[in-house]
Amino acid sequence: MWQRLVVGVLAAVLAFNGLHMLLAPVHWYPSIASVPHTGPFNAHFIRDIGCAYVAAAIGLGIGAWRARWLVPAALPALAFLGLHALVHAWESLVVHSAAAAHADATDFVGVYGPPVLILITLFTAQTTREA
């Protein structure tokens, strides 16, 4: 089932990002061009968000592991990632933040891509049998 592969890869990417945020916030902060334009460096805040990314990765990893659990395991990840994308969209369209002016393809793919992939995966997943 291709959905499990997509979710598993996404879980690994999110886990890497979250662990990077948790273990090396000073390195992570300037590694994405638009992030420094969102406000001053705050290691505690970056680590908090890193926890959300790791939690999302765990849920997606569970869904990749057990096909029957894909939908319920992916929903909390979708909630965080979808709300995160909505905040970015709102700031880009309404607030016109400096971060939006410095956003690039990495931001677009990294912020909007994960919730879109999860939605596609959930709408096409077959959860009636264990694969």
Side-chain angles (χ1 to χ4, degrees):
M1 163 190 256
W2 66 266
Q3 292 91 346
R4 291 172 66 190
L5 176 63
V6 169
V7 169
V9 169
L10 184 56
V13 170
L14 295 175
F16 176 80
N17 184 58
L19 290 172
H20 190 190
M21 294 171 85
L22 283 166
L23 301 174
V26 172
H27 181 264
W28 179 87
Y29 181 76
S31 71
I32 300 170
S34 61
V35 170
H37 300 282
T38 62
F41 173 78
N42 182 329
H44 178 88
F45 188 63
I46 292 169
R47 285 187 178 112
D48 283 346
I49 298 167
C51 290
Y53 272 99
V54 170
I58 290 169
L60 293 175
I62 290 169
W65 177 52
R66 294 278 190 210
R68 283 191 152 148
W69 298 349
L70 177 59
V71 173
L75 289 177
L78 178 60
F80 163 65
L81 295 166
L83 291 169
H84 179 229
L86 288 174
V87 167
H88 278 256
W90 178 76
E91 287 187 353
S92 295
L93 297 171
V94 178
V95 178
H96 305 292
S97 71
H102 291 87
D104 60 11
T106 302
D107 295 277
F108 189 79
V109 171
V111 172
Y112 303 110
V116 169
L117 280 175
I118 294 170
L119 282 172
I120 292 168
T121 300
L122 293 181
F123 280 117
T124 60
Q126 295 180 8
T127 59
T128 56
R129 68 183 195 326
E130 189 70 28

